[in-house]
Amino acid sequence: MNASYPEEIPINGGVEVIYGIICFAFAIFGIPANAFAFRYFLRKKLELSSMLYLFITGSDVLICICPIPIGISYFCHRNAVLFDSVFFCNFWMLSWRILSCVSIFYVAVLSVTRAYLLCFPFKQVSLLFVKIIIAVYLFLQLVISTNVFWTGEHQYVYSAKFVACDSVTPTHFPDDLLHIYNWFSRASYLFPIFPIVLSCLVSVVSISRYQSKYGGTADQEKVNASITIILFTLIYVFCNAPQAILNIIGGVDKSVLEPLNKWDSALYFQNFIYTMIVPLNSTLNPILYFYRMTSLRQELVSALRWRQGNDRGQLVPRDTVVLSLWSERLTSSMASSVLFL
């Protein structure tokens, strides 16, 4: 698809400014929030869930950086600005594709392993086995995503219509290589949804049975951790389902999307789905961390109080009694709501 030009697009100045603000909001909030969560998980004991959360928060920090060039282009009437460089365009697109797919894969591994541990509570998932799976997937992503550039022909150029980089493929480019690349890219986005949804349902059923069997003697820490992962996967499904639906429809019959393309002539809706949903998901994740994880929330409050005490030239006591009571109430209400569902 060839690059478009701003004069060909019916631009709405107000919407452009709003989209630019949203892109920078992802960076302003998402980067420090995920970085703080990354530091928290880095200091925790190395377990399966903390390791996966560490990987997820690390990738979310980088994902929240990616919308910054898009926001700059929105503020500059969709001119290329940073995307004017072919090298930057290629680097940004490769980073965006790899980070998006890897982040989805991390969520899938987290949800599947949690469902497995709930179904088989006396078994353990090997950390080494999970690390090997992640390493193999990362290797495949790097090889296949960069393989299309080995011929020196394939590249990305800026598209003002998409306010991002778009693929440009010469007619003499190897069809087999391009087919593998397109198939793997689409599968990387779509395939993880199915195990994520299935494992989420299995986890809900397992928690319900576990609670009904043990009642008040149930391990609440285990239940709360499982509920956190369920909510985490639900946020992912909510944010990524629209993109998956459009990809499936476009892969089956592109003519079905023609009415949408006519209505969304400036691609505001589709650009939001394809380029803003992923950083939105990465920005919402730390909110869930702070909401569900008491120790992380206490560490954040302590850090803020310490900063305020330093600004005032005095020490502030770390009083967390009220915070702990509030956390217990939130946990019990969230547990009952999930089991009710």
Side-chain angles (χ1 to χ4, degrees), residues 13 35 101 127 177 221 265 276 289 295 319:
C101 295
L127 279 176
L177 185 61
E221 183 177 354
S265 57
M276 294 192 181
Y289 303 149
S295 56
D319 184 12

Side-chain angles (χ1 to χ4, degrees), residues 50-108:
S50 60
M51 181 189 72
L52 292 173
Y53 278 128
L54 182 68
F55 291 160
I56 292 172
T57 52
S59 62
D60 283 346
V61 169
L62 299 177
I63 288 174
C64 290
I65 297 175
C66 290
I68 294 178
I70 299 176
I72 294 175
S73 293
Y74 272 118
F75 282 130
C76 297
H77 307 288
R78 298 201 182 189
N79 290 313
V81 192
L82 296 178
F83 291 119
D84 196 42
S85 168
V86 175
F87 171 80
F88 181 83
C89 229
N90 291 331
F91 175 78
W92 183 91
M93 196 61 190
L94 283 177
S95 302
W96 175 260
R97 284 181 176 271
I98 293 174
L99 287 171
S100 301
C101 295
V102 166
S103 179
I104 294 171
F105 185 74
Y106 290 153
V107 176

Side-chain angles (χ1 to χ4, degrees), residues 86-336:
V86 175
F87 171 80
F88 181 83
C89 229
N90 291 331
F91 175 78
W92 183 91
M93 196 61 190
L94 283 177
S95 302
W96 175 260
R97 284 181 176 271
I98 293 174
L99 287 171
S100 301
C101 295
V102 166
S103 179
I104 294 171
F105 185 74
Y106 290 153
V107 176
V109 174
L110 179 64
S111 58
V112 170
T113 52
R114 174 56 60 171
Y116 176 82
L117 293 175
L118 286 173
C119 294
F120 305 98
F122 299 105
K123 294 186 178 182
Q124 296 292 329
V125 178
S126 172
L127 279 176
L128 179 60
F129 177 72
V130 175
K131 289 179 180 178
I132 291 174
I133 291 178
I134 292 176
V136 170
Y137 183 80
L138 285 173
F139 177 76
L140 289 175
Q141 277 289 347
L142 289 172
V143 170
I144 295 180
S145 297
T146 58
N147 188 37
V148 294
F149 296 95
W150 292 353
T151 61
E153 298 288 348
H154 191 281
Q155 66 178 9
Y156 293 94
V157 296
Y158 177 73
S159 168
K161 196 167 187 178
F162 296 102
V163 200
C165 298
D166 191 23
S167 176
V168 175
T169 307
T171 56
H172 60 277
F173 192 80
D175 292 335
D176 294 339
L177 185 61
L178 187 61
H179 177 73
I180 294 174
Y181 173 73
N182 290 332
W183 180 88
F184 186 78
S185 299
R186 186 161 295 176
S188 299
Y189 284 108
L190 298 180
F191 177 74
I193 292 180
F194 301 102
I196 287 174
V197 173
L198 180 61
S199 60
C200 186
L201 295 175
V202 171
S203 297
V204 171
V205 173
S206 299
I207 292 176
S208 300
R209 291 181 176 178
Y210 182 76
Q211 288 279 57
S212 61
K213 181 177 181 180
Y214 295 99
T217 62
D219 187 353
Q220 288 300 320
E221 183 177 354
K222 177 181 178 181
V223 172
N224 292 336
S226 301
I227 292 174
T228 300
I229 294 177
I230 291 173
L231 294 175
F232 185 78
T233 54
L234 288 177
I235 290 177
Y236 161 78
V237 172
F238 173 78
C239 291
N240 290 272
Q243 182 178 164
I245 293 173
L246 290 179
N247 282 329
I248 293 174
I249 295 175
V252 174
D253 186 4
K254 291 185 178 181
S255 62
V256 179
L257 297 178
E258 289 183 2
L260 176 63
N261 294 330
K262 292 181 180 179
W263 169 74
D264 188 28
S265 57
L267 293 187
Y268 285 121
F269 174 76
Q270 295 182 63
N271 285 345
F272 184 85
I273 295 298
Y274 285 111
T275 60
M276 294 192 181
I277 282 291
V278 175
L280 173 63
N281 189 6
S282 299
T283 305
L284 292 177
N285 286 339
I287 298 177
L288 179 63
Y289 303 149
F290 295 130
Y291 175 71
R292 292 290 303 169
M293 300 178 182
T294 306
S295 56
L296 174 59
R297 191 164 58 248
Q298 289 175 346
E299 186 170 330
L300 175 62
V301 172
S302 298
L304 294 175
R305 288 181 175 179
W306 179 82
R307 177 65 181 272
Q308 291 176 357
N310 280 350
D311 293 340
R312 297 174 183 175
Q314 60 184 3
L315 296 177
V316 178
R318 298 184 178 183
D319 184 12
T320 59
V321 177
V322 177
L323 185 63
S324 299
L325 293 175
W326 181 69
S327 172
E328 292 176 1
R329 292 180 181 178
L330 287 176
T331 302
S332 60
S333 63
M334 186 58 65
S336 59

Side-chain angles (χ1 to χ4, degrees), residues 42-56:
L42 184 64
R43 295 166 59 185
K44 289 194 67 175
K45 180 182 178 181
L46 185 60
E47 297 176 347
L48 179 61
S49 58
S50 60
M51 181 189 72
L52 292 173
Y53 278 128
L54 182 68
F55 291 160
I56 292 172

